[in-house]
Amino acid sequence: MVISQILIRYRRDNALSQKQMSDLLGVSQVGYHKWETGTTKIEMEHYCRIATLCEVSLLDLLPRDWQEKIRDELGV
């Protein structure tokens, strides 16, 4: 699963529209839409806000293969 799909999943899990999510994150709806379509990259500050808003860890916002690589490297 790619990051854009992960964003969509967590937004939908929280029953939020793109507009609601963008408002909560303090970004434009167009900007948020670009994240979900993979058109633009997400800055770390926004990853932190998304994780807090969705009550997940930063690792949860990454693709599974990245999560596994990070956990392996950290010995977690």
Side-chain angles (χ1 to χ4, degrees):
M1 188 178 296
V2 295
I3 292 171
S4 58
Q5 293 171 325
I6 293 168
L7 285 179
I8 293 167
R9 186 183 87 208
Y10 282 119
R11 177 178 58 81
R12 289 179 178 167
D13 286 352
N14 286 280
L16 296 169
S17 67
Q18 283 186 348
K19 176 66 174 145
Q20 291 168 318
M21 188 73 151
S22 66
D23 287 345
L24 290 168
L25 294 170
V27 298
S28 71
Q29 189 274 328
V30 171
Y32 183 82
H33 172 76
K34 288 180 178 180
W35 294 346
E36 284 197 358
T37 59
T39 307
T40 59
K41 294 183 179 181
I42 305 169
E43 294 177 19
M44 181 53 75
E45 149 189 7
H46 292 113
Y47 273 112
C48 294
R49 289 181 182 173
I50 293 165
T52 300
L53 179 65
C54 296
E55 298 181 348
V56 298
S57 74
L58 286 172
L59 276 180
D60 292 331
L61 296 176
L62 301 176
R64 189 157 315 276
D65 57 330
W66 292 15
Q67 290 178 28
E68 291 170 2
K69 183 175 191 270
I70 291 168
R71 286 189 173 106
D72 287 345
E73 288 177 3
L74 295 175
V76 179

